[in-house]
């Protein structure tokens, strides 16, 4: 994918904005311009990627290492109920009293390779049985040279890289809420 078109994790983007939904559901994502059907609404780099096979304990350790700005952005997302402990009694301390794990559980998108990722803007898109956008993920496998280059890390990077694109499935009017299917 073209690096110039991707919104970096945590950055703002002129094509969408976070707002309060008109029906009291909480935060939502609105387009700030008209978008033709089939066009890309946004392409955003993940705040955090959970590789296939990671336990919740390992996810918690990974979340402890988040860049401070990415951590702040993730803590602003909706939270799933705080379970405090993972399956089989695993210690899942994420350095934020379980709040990062709760945000991960509530907002992560499953990727084609079985990994999961959280996005600051794309994760604000709400569900509808009649969506107006679809998710199109781009994934660079963990440990690959592309993943290391994109995340700016050396040989030790094992988390991979993910970009999620929102594609309009019908024309969107300026100010319209972005709706996707979670199913």
């Amino acid at each position: 994918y073209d690096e110039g078109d991707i919104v970096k994790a945590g950055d703002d983007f002129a094509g969408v904005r976070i707002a309060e939904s008109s029906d009291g559901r909480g935060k939502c994502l609105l387009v700030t311009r008209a978008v033709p059907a089939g066009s890309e609404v946004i392409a955003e780099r993940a705040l955090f990627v959970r590789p296939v096979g990671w336990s919740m304990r390992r996810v918690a350790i990974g979340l402890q290492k988040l860049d401070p700005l990415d951590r702040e952005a993730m803590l602003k997302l909706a939270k799933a109920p705080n379970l405090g402990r993972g399956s089989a009694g695993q210690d899942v301390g994420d350095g934020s009293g379980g709040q990062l794990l709760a945000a991960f559980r509530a907002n992560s998108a499953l990727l084609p390779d079985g990994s999961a990722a959280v996005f600051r803007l794309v994760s604000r898109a709400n569900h509808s049985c009649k969506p107006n956008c679809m998710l199109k993920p781009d994934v660079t496998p963990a440990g690959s040279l592309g993943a290391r280059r994109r995340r700016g890390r050396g040989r030790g990077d094992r988390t991979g890289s993910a970009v999620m694109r929102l594609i309009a499935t019908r024309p969107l009017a300026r100010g319209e809420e972005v709706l996707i299917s979670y199913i």
Side-chain angles (χ1 to χ4, degrees), residues 117-134:
V118 176
F119 304 85
R120 185 180 77 83
L121 296 170
V122 172
S123 291
R124 294 286 187 184
N126 286 319
H127 170 77
S128 173
C129 292
K130 295 181 180 180
N132 56 23
C133 289
M134 65 179 198

Side-chain angles (χ1 to χ4, degrees), residues 52-115:
V52 176
W54 273 26
S55 67
M56 286 308 285
R57 176 166 168 61
R58 190 141 181 218
V59 170
I61 291 167
L63 290 169
Q64 290 175 19
K65 298 176 184 178
L66 276 176
D67 171 272
L69 293 175
D70 292 347
R71 178 186 182 87
E72 180 182 340
M74 210 161 149
L75 286 170
K76 289 180 180 177
L77 294 171
K79 314 286 189 302
N82 188 352
L83 303 177
R85 294 184 88 52
S87 61
Q90 294 176 347
D91 175 13
V92 293
D94 61 7
S96 69
Q99 293 300 299
L100 287 169
L101 280 166
F104 174 79
R105 282 194 308 274
N107 296 283
S108 60
L110 190 62
L111 303 173
D113 67 353
S115 60

Side-chain angles (χ1 to χ4, degrees), residues 12-180:
D12 286 326
F13 176 68
V16 296
R17 71 179 178 88
I18 298 168
E20 289 292 327
S21 66
S22 60
D23 59 5
R25 289 176 292 138
K27 302 285 185 190
C28 68
L29 196 61
L30 304 177
V31 293
T32 59
R33 58 182 165 68
V35 180
S39 296
E40 185 175 277
V41 175
I42 186 174
E44 180 183 16
R45 182 166 318 287
L47 290 168
F48 179 78
V49 178
R50 182 225 40 165
V52 176
W54 273 26
S55 67
M56 286 308 285
R57 176 166 168 61
R58 190 141 181 218
V59 170
I61 291 167
L63 290 169
Q64 290 175 19
K65 298 176 184 178
L66 276 176
D67 171 272
L69 293 175
D70 292 347
R71 178 186 182 87
E72 180 182 340
M74 210 161 149
L75 286 170
K76 289 180 180 177
L77 294 171
K79 314 286 189 302
N82 188 352
L83 303 177
R85 294 184 88 52
S87 61
Q90 294 176 347
D91 175 13
V92 293
D94 61 7
S96 69
Q99 293 300 299
L100 287 169
L101 280 166
F104 174 79
R105 282 194 308 274
N107 296 283
S108 60
L110 190 62
L111 303 173
D113 67 353
S115 60
V118 176
F119 304 85
R120 185 180 77 83
L121 296 170
V122 172
S123 291
R124 294 286 187 184
N126 286 319
H127 170 77
S128 173
C129 292
K130 295 181 180 180
N132 56 23
C133 289
M134 65 179 198
L135 298 173
K136 182 180 176 194
D138 289 327
V139 180
T140 302
S144 72
L145 181 59
R148 290 191 300 269
R149 283 187 180 150
R150 285 186 184 95
R151 295 188 62 87
R153 296 185 180 152
R155 297 176 71 169
D157 179 32
R158 307 248 341 233
T159 62
S161 178
V163 170
M164 187 66 75
R165 298 177 188 281
L166 279 175
I167 308 297
T169 56
R170 64 165 178 75
L172 302 176
R174 181 175 184 233
E176 189 170 350
E177 183 176 355
V178 172
L179 300 167
I180 59 172

